[in-house]
Amino acid sequence: MVTQSNVNQQAHIDEHAPQERSDGSSGHLRVGVIGCGQWGQNYLRVLSELEQTKLVVACDTRPDIRQRVAARYPGVRVVASVDELLSAEDIQAVVVATDARSHFALASAALRAGKHTLCEKPLTTQVEEAVALAQCADACQRTLMVGHIFRYNAGVNALRQEILDPGFGEVCYLCLVRTNLGPIRPDVNAAWDLAPHDISIVLHLLDHMPLRVTAQGFSYLQAGREDVVFITLEMPGGVAAHLRVSWLDPRKVREVTVVGRQRMAVLDDVQPMEGLRIYDKGAREEPSPYASYGEFQYVVRSGEVRIPPVRGDEPLREQARHFVQAALAGRRPLSDGWDGVRVVAIMDAIQRSLKAGGVPVEMEQRYVLFSSGA
C-alpha cells in the first residue's frame, strides 16, 4: 500500500547518498538494451562507446531491427525474448527503450531479476505503478534511473546556475515550448510524449512541485488523442510555468524562457553553440512625477545581452555515463525512481485536467521534491 509517509521518506533520501549493494559490481557495467528502435539505437551507440560499459545483449521483437543491430554490432548477442535477456547471468544492467505503456512490466521484471535499470521517460503512465517501481528498486538495492535527459543537458544546467545567482532576482514565470512536425505517436498523446521533458526541466530549475495544474488540448489528426497541448503549472510563491507541446507545428522549437525580477534568460536548445542568452532587462518601480504623493510608475530597463559559454558532452552520453557510475558505485542517480514518480504524478494531473476540459487539478503534495543538485 502506498502511503504519504513512505513516499515522503523516500523522496527525502539524499540523492548522492551511497547505497549498500551486494552485487559486487565494479570496473565495467555489462548492459543489455530492450527496444532497439530509433531511440534504442542511440543507446546502443552510446553504450558501445563508453569506457565503463560493455554492451552485451540487444533485444527487439522485430526481425528487421534485430538484423540491423547484428550487422552494426557484431560482438553483441541479439535476441527476440526479454526473458532470455533478463535471465542472462552476464548482464548487470538493462536499458528499457520501448513504448511508455510497456515500461512498468519491463522495468519491474528487470529489477526483480537483479538488474540495475535505466528506463526511458515517462517512467510509467500510472502513478501507482511508478511508486511501485521506485519502492521495488529501493527494496532490491538496485539503481533505477529515468531518462529525464535534460537533467544532463549542459545548457539546462547552465541556466539553472544563472537563475540561482542572487543577481538574477526572484523568478516570476517560465515559458517552455517544444514543437515539431511529427513524429506522431500512436500510443500516447503529445502531452505524454513531449511534456515530461519540460516538466523535468521545471522541477530541476525550481526544486518545487506545482500546487495545481491546468491543461487544454486539441485533436486534429487522431480522434481522442491530443496533437497540441497547453499546460500551466502554478508553482509555490506565485511562479507560473506555461508549457506548449505539439507534434503538429511547422517549426522545431526547443525553448525555455525564464523571467526574473532583475534578469531574463532564454535557452534555445536547437542552437547549441550560442543557445543560452542572459538579458539584463527588467521593470522597476519609480515615483510618478505626474501623480499624487505615494503613487508610482513602472519603468522598463534594458541592458546588455550576455552569451555565457556552455560546454558539455552529448546529453544522452552524459545520462548514460551517470547511470553507469551510479550503478557501479551504489549511488542514487539524479533522476532516480522517485524523480520519475513526481513527473508521472504531474502528468496524471495534466491528463485529468485535459479530460475535464481544462479544469484546474490540485496536486497531491505527498511527492516532495528534494534538492536536485548542481
Side-chain angles (χ1 to χ4, degrees), residues 140-168:
C140 295
Q141 294 188 324
R142 290 297 179 267
T143 295
L144 173 61
M145 179 168 155
V146 187
H148 294 155
I149 193 169
F150 285 92
R151 294 290 300 269
Y152 310 94
N153 180 290
V156 172
N157 283 306
L159 174 59
R160 175 180 161 86
Q161 293 305 312
E162 290 288 343
I163 67 175
L164 286 175
D165 184 339
F168 192 87

Side-chain angles (χ1 to χ4, degrees), residues 100 103 119-125 146-151 176 178 185 188-204 229 231 233 243-245 247 335 339-348 350-351:
H103 288 178
C119 184
E120 254 310 299
K121 62 80 191 168
L123 178 57
T124 65
T125 56
V146 187
H148 294 155
I149 193 169
F150 285 92
R151 294 290 300 269
L176 300 91
R178 186 171 302 272
R185 298 283 299 273
V188 294
N189 61 20
W192 276 100
D193 182 31
L194 301 173
H197 285 313
D198 293 315
I199 291 170
S200 70
I201 291 173
V202 172
L203 297 184
H204 186 41
V229 181
I231 302 163
L233 309 179
L243 286 60
R244 176 164 68 95
V245 296
W247 54 37
S335 54
D339 191 47
V341 168
R342 287 184 285 273
V343 172
V344 173
I346 296 170
M347 286 304 309
D348 176 73
I350 289 170
Q351 190 63 38

Side-chain angles (χ1 to χ4, degrees), residues 1 26 35 51 65 90 112 132 143 193 240 250 287 316 346 351-352:
M1 178 178 178
S26 61
E51 292 182 358
I65 298 294
D90 58 346
R112 290 196 305 269
T143 295
D193 182 31
L316 184 63
I346 296 170
Q351 190 63 38
R352 284 186 282 143

Side-chain angles (χ1 to χ4, degrees), residues 207-229:
D207 287 339
H208 287 291
M209 285 288 283
L211 302 175
R212 65 191 56 84
V213 173
T214 305
Q216 288 186 298
F218 302 89
S219 305
Y220 299 105
L221 301 177
Q222 305 173 84
R225 184 168 290 128
E226 295 85 357
D227 314 298
V228 55
V229 181

Side-chain angles (χ1 to χ4, degrees), residues 157-318:
N157 283 306
L159 174 59
R160 175 180 161 86
Q161 293 305 312
E162 290 288 343
I163 67 175
L164 286 175
D165 184 339
F168 192 87
E170 179 183 337
V171 173
C172 298
Y173 73 90
L174 302 84
C175 183
L176 300 91
V177 181
R178 186 171 302 272
T179 64
N180 201 6
L181 184 58
I184 298 161
R185 298 283 299 273
D187 55 331
V188 294
N189 61 20
W192 276 100
D193 182 31
L194 301 173
H197 285 313
D198 293 315
I199 291 170
S200 70
I201 291 173
V202 172
L203 297 184
H204 186 41
L205 295 179
L206 300 183
D207 287 339
H208 287 291
M209 285 288 283
L211 302 175
R212 65 191 56 84
V213 173
T214 305
Q216 288 186 298
F218 302 89
S219 305
Y220 299 105
L221 301 177
Q222 305 173 84
R225 184 168 290 128
E226 295 85 357
D227 314 298
V228 55
V229 181
F230 304 91
I231 302 163
T232 299
L233 309 179
E234 296 180 49
M235 310 297 291
V239 179
H242 183 74
L243 286 60
R244 176 164 68 95
V245 296
S246 172
W247 54 37
L248 186 60
D249 197 275
R251 295 188 305 139
K252 180 177 181 178
V253 180
R254 302 286 186 269
E255 191 171 273
V256 181
T257 301
V258 183
V259 174
R261 293 289 183 183
Q262 301 299 323
R263 299 175 193 156
M264 305 177 185
V266 176
L267 174 64
D268 183 353
D269 197 56
V270 179
Q271 303 292 335
M273 296 303 296
E274 296 184 350
L276 180 59
R277 294 172 182 259
I278 310 300
Y279 296 82
D280 185 18
K281 290 186 175 184
R284 64 177 181 269
E285 191 180 58
E286 291 186 351
S288 172
Y290 307 107
S292 61
Y293 178 78
E295 293 187 0
F296 296 84
Q297 64 180 359
Y298 282 91
V299 178
V300 296
R301 173 183 54 80
S302 183
E304 64 177 11
V305 179
R306 179 167 54 88
I307 305 176
V310 176
R311 299 182 179 87
D313 204 344
E314 175 189 3
L316 184 63
R317 188 185 304 274
E318 292 282 8

Side-chain angles (χ1 to χ4, degrees), residues 69-135:
V69 173
R72 183 169 182 181
Y73 303 96
V76 175
R77 299 200 307 273
V78 181
V79 301
S81 167
V82 172
D83 290 339
E84 182 178 350
L85 183 149
L86 294 180
S87 63
E89 295 183 357
D90 58 346
I91 294 294
Q92 298 168 294
V94 168
V95 173
V96 177
T98 57
D99 66 275
R101 298 190 187 279
S102 67
H103 288 178
F104 176 70
L106 293 173
S108 58
L111 290 169
R112 290 196 305 269
K115 315 299 184 185
H116 305 295
T117 303
L118 168 55
C119 184
E120 254 310 299
K121 62 80 191 168
L123 178 57
T124 65
T125 56
Q126 302 291 331
V127 179
E128 297 303 311
E129 290 181 345
V131 172
L133 284 179
Q135 290 175 330

